[in-house]
Amino acid sequence: MPEIELRWPHEANPRLRAEIHTVVHDVVAAGGAVGYHSSPGPDRLSAWLDGVLEQVRDGDAAFVTAVVDGVVRAVGLWRRGGTAVFQHRCEVQQVMAHPAARGLGLGRLVVQGLVDSARAAGFEIAMLGVRGNNHGAIELYEQLGFRECGRMPNAIAVGADRWDDVWMYLPLGHPEGTRLNGSSPGGLGSSPRRGAGF
């Protein structure tokens, strides 16, 4: 059995950059639905990684690698919501495992690690987006407790093809004293219904 561990880097040396680039490049080359039309080059990937790790150091993100026998074979991250009213939630992004490492359960390990990290950081909700045809990923997220909360039909463009953009969420818990108003009328930002003539 291979030795597998999760690592949470705050800085990136040349070896780490190269190993992460290999994962991203090969996932995209194999047709992985991870947000790129074509495999990014090392410079583009390094710029992305530097931005993520800066957010990690600021406490606004967490970045995880799954290391198999000493080599990075999967990655993922969460980022804090960008505006004041969304600071209590995070978005899970860029979860991917190298095609040669399939069957090791790295995707599940990475996502569960990110969920545990987000809960420990005090987030109330974890969210993620997934392409509608990525049924295996959707099934994995559902097994980990995520539920679909929205779907924009044919909103993801890959060449001439269009796919649904599926949004999923996982409640992580609310602080004591939190008022859950849902869509109830009243409160800040409320407005009354105006009828059909609005």
Side-chain angles (χ1 to χ4, degrees):
M1 286 292 294
E3 182 179 335
I4 301 172
E5 65 173 316
L6 293 182
R7 296 180 185 169
W8 302 82
H10 289 73
E11 303 282 350
N13 60 30
R15 176 182 170 179
L16 180 61
R17 290 178 190 277
E19 291 179 0
I20 292 171
H21 179 260
T22 296
V23 171
V24 177
H25 177 278
D26 292 358
V27 166
V28 175
V34 293
Y36 295 100
H37 284 128
S38 59
S39 296
D43 290 344
R44 182 179 175 196
L45 200 285
S46 273
W48 168 79
L49 182 59
D50 287 340
V52 170
L53 294 179
E54 182 177 357
Q55 287 187 297
V56 169
R57 292 189 295 272
D58 289 342
D60 292 324
F63 183 71
V64 65
T65 61
V67 178
V68 180
D69 292 334
V71 178
V72 173
R73 295 314 246 168
V75 301
L77 68 134
W78 59 250
R79 294 185 204 250
R80 184 185 302 276
T83 60
V85 295
F86 297 135
Q87 293 284 296
H88 67 296
R89 72 187 197 191
C90 67
E91 183 180 342
V92 174
Q93 302 175 343
Q94 308 293 145
V95 174
M96 62 189 93
H98 192 278
R102 296 229 172 103
L104 297 178
L106 300 185
R108 177 183 297 276
L109 187 66
V110 164
V111 175
Q112 187 62 63
L114 290 168
V115 167
D116 293 343
S117 167
R119 184 177 281 113
F123 288 103
E124 298 176 35
I125 302 168
M127 301 180 61
L128 57 82
V130 58
R131 193 184 299 179
N133 66 336
N134 199 351
H135 298 289
I138 292 171
E139 182 179 18
L140 168 63
Y141 299 142
E142 288 176 340
Q143 290 171 356
L144 293 173
F146 284 84
R147 294 293 175 259
E148 183 175 329
C149 59
R151 180 180 294 249
M152 189 177 296
N154 299 306
I156 296 175
V158 183
D161 293 312
R162 302 293 180 266
W163 307 98
D164 290 354
D165 186 9
V166 179
W167 280 90
M168 306 182 76
Y169 78 104
L170 175 66
L172 301 176
H174 302 285
E176 187 175 343
T178 301
R179 291 183 298 276
L180 303 178
N181 296 304
S183 298
S184 300
L188 295 174
S190 178
S191 62
R193 291 184 177 272
R194 299 177 187 264
F198 177 69

